[in-house]
Structures are given as C-alpha cells and as structure tokens.
C-alpha cells in the first residue's frame, strides 16, 4: 500500500509517496504559503499531483504545534498563525480523502521507530536536537499522545529551576541547555572566556556562530574548547534522559536533529551523564543510545505510515 506523507515546515512543505517499507517512491516540495487557505490548497495540489501517478491510499500531514487528542484541530502552532484551526477538516475538504494530522516531532519519532534507528525497540524515546528540542515517546509500540494530545514535549522539561527563559513562557527548559542554539551559546561562552576558547574564537563567523564544518574540524583535532562545549550539551541531554528513564523506562534513546550529526562525540558523554544521573544505576537495566538514521525524511515517512495504520 502506498500512502502520502506531507511535512509542513516553517519555510517549505515536503511531500512524498511512501511504500510499506518506508521507502519514498517520489518526492516533491513547495515554499510554505503564509495564508492558511493557500497552504491547504498547496497541500491538496501536492496530493492530487502525486495521486495522479500512484495508487495512493491514506494521506498524513505533519506540522509543528499542539494538536488535540482526536488529531483534528491544531490548537497552536509556533510557525504558522494557527489557533484552534480545524486543519484536518480543511485538508479533507480539499483533498477528498481521509487525512491524518500529527505533530512533526511525533511523526519523526514514529518514522524512526518503524523504519529507522528504532526498529526492534518496544519502548523508544526520540530526542530531536534542532534549533530547539523535539520529543516523541513510543510506549509499548504506541505513540504517546496524552489526554489533550500534547504529550512528549520533552524539550520543555524543567531542567534548571529558575534557569534560562524559554520561548514557551517558562524558564529552565531542557531546550535551553541541550539544542543547536544551546550548543552555540556554550561555544560562544567558551570562545569569550579565552584560554581553551582561543581556537573557537578564531572560527566564529561575523554572526557569532561557529559553522558546523569548523566545529567538526576542531573536534577531530580534540580542541579542548570544542570538546568542552559538546560535553556541556551532552551532559544536559544525558541527565535529562536519566530523568526520562525514571518515568518512561525505554529500551532505546534515538537522538536526532542537526546536533546528532556529531555522532559518538555527542553520544559518549551523553551515556556517561545518563548513567551517572540514573536512579538506581547498577540495579536496573539501562537503555541504549543511538543517532537517528532517516534525517529530514523521518517526519514525512512517519506520518505517511501513521496515516496508513489509522485508515485501517
Ligand atoms: Zn520551554
């Protein structure tokens, strides 16, 4: 069975026809329209175009934001001006077939669980380290949704009491300590401090950012400043996973997003911090850590698969 997955991002909409092994048969993309009606029309046009060449079953749409428990209404989206928007009905009216709506981080986690790094797991936690932190929880083979549809917002676990302010209106959230933005903050702090930060300072751009290629080079040379910045972020991530373990008891953590491209340089200190902070370490089984394998396709593939499963 072929299903269509659509992943709505802040700047572009990615679409694709996905088979039951998670392979993308054909893909397409357009810029994200600002207006909701135009956006729904663009998504419908993508689906109709793909369906003209493939025998398509269900349609899944992933987007950032809080979605109600029935997966019909977008309660609030950080990227697009949606408040209590009946998105599912708007898409179905234009597409003319059933549509599954899912949070983008949940969709990505489901994609990894079914077809990527999470295959073989029963209880998996995915932490996506992008600009912020996205989360998905698979509990006994099911996506954790919550009573109001908003479970698994792992980036907004309060990690530091009275800590750094967060865009969610709270403070001390995990994503202020373990994310792409947090890594750049640590790199900047160390560069500004002199000493081990000297080489980092020389690699900062005019915007204050250390480019990914420069960071990779410095890490390959075991530059003390770069290693320390990654260790700080990994420590926050590992300690948070120790807390997740106490609540969710997964067998696997899948780390995704741009920061996960660091691979073992990130995972090794993450595991150490996880074990150090784990309640009852030594007396209970621990989880494995690995990096995501589907990259930016995870959400598209995951939501297409969810659409197929939910339409049965
Ligand atoms: Zn927050």
């Amino acid at each position: 069975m072929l299903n269509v997955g659509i992943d709505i991002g802040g700047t572009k909409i990615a679409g694709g026809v996905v088979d039951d092994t998670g392979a993308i048969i054909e893909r397409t993309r357009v810029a994200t329209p600002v207006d909701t009606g135009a956006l729904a029309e663009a998504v419908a046009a993508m689906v109709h175009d793909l369906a003209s060449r493939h025998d398509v079953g269900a349609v899944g749409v992933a987007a950032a934001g809080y979605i109600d428990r029935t997966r019909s209404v977008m309660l609030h989206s950080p990227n697009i001006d949606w408040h209590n928007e009946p998105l599912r009905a708007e898409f179905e009216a234009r597409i003319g077939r059933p549509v599954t709506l899912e949070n983008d981080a949940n969709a990505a986690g489901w994609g990894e669980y079914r077809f990527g790094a999470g295959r073989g797991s029963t209880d998996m936690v995915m932490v996506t380290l992008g600009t912020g932190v996205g989360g998905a929880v698979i509990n006994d083979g099911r996506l954790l949704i919550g009573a109001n549809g908003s479970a698994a917002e792992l980036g907004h676990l309060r990690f530091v009491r009275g800590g750094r302010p967060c865009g969610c209106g709270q403070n001390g959230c995990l994503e202020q300590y373990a994310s792409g933005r947090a890594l750049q903050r640590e790199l900047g702090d160390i560069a500004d401090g002199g000493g081990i930060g000297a080489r980092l300072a020389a690699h900062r751009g005019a915007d204050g950012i250390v480019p990914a290629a420069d960071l990779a080079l410095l890490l390959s040379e075991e530059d003390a400043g770069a290693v320390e910045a990654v260790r700080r972020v990994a420590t926050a991530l590992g300690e948070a996973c120790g807390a997740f373990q106490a609540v969710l008891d997964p067998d696997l953590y899948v780390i995704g997003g741009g920061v996960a491209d660091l691979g073992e340089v990130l995972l090794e200190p993450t595991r150490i911090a996880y074990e150090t902070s784990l309640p009852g370490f030594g007396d209970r089984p621990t989880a494995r850590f690995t990096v995501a394998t589907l990259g930016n396709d995870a959400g598209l593939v995951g939501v297409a698969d969810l659409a197929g499963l939910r339409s049965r």
Side-chain angles (χ1 to χ4, degrees), residues 155-158 164-176:
H156 300 285
L157 170 83
R158 190 186 308 276
R164 297 169 184 154
C166 184
C168 72
Q170 290 297 338
N171 59 67
C173 293
L174 177 63
E175 77 171 30
Q176 301 305 321

Side-chain angles (χ1 to χ4, degrees), residues 117-148:
R119 274 179 298 184
S121 169
T122 59
D123 292 74
M124 182 196 108
V125 170
M126 180 155 167
V127 187
T128 303
L129 307 178
T131 308
V133 172
V137 174
I138 312 298
N139 177 241
D140 197 16
R142 288 167 163 264
L143 193 57
L144 188 71
I145 298 293
N148 302 294

Side-chain angles (χ1 to χ4, degrees), residues 112-121 124 252 288 293:
E112 291 288 346
Y113 166 69
R114 290 274 288 166
F115 305 113
R119 274 179 298 184
S121 169
M124 182 196 108
L252 177 68
R288 292 183 300 115
T293 58

Side-chain angles (χ1 to χ4, degrees), residues 65-158:
Y66 296 119
I67 301 171
D68 78 317
R69 182 179 167 82
T70 67
R71 296 341 229 175
S72 303
V73 179
M74 178 63 83
L75 303 174
H76 171 77
S77 172
N79 300 329
I80 298 166
D81 188 24
W82 284 328
H83 300 279
N84 295 314
E85 191 79 28
L87 272 189
R88 182 170 161 186
E90 290 171 10
F91 286 131
E92 288 183 339
R94 289 173 171 86
I95 293 170
R97 58 177 90 210
V99 170
T100 285
L101 193 60
E102 190 51 66
N103 169 275
D104 59 350
N106 281 349
W110 186 258
E112 291 288 346
Y113 166 69
R114 290 274 288 166
F115 305 113
R119 274 179 298 184
S121 169
T122 59
D123 292 74
M124 182 196 108
V125 170
M126 180 155 167
V127 187
T128 303
L129 307 178
T131 308
V133 172
V137 174
I138 312 298
N139 177 241
D140 197 16
R142 288 167 163 264
L143 193 57
L144 188 71
I145 298 293
N148 302 294
S150 304
E153 293 282 341
L154 304 181
H156 300 285
L157 170 83
R158 190 186 308 276

Side-chain angles (χ1 to χ4, degrees), residues 157 159 238-249 253 274 277-279:
L157 170 83
F159 184 68
E239 289 181 356
C241 290
F244 299 151
Q245 195 72 31
V247 180
L248 299 166
D249 192 22
Y253 290 91
Y274 162 78
S277 66
L278 187 66

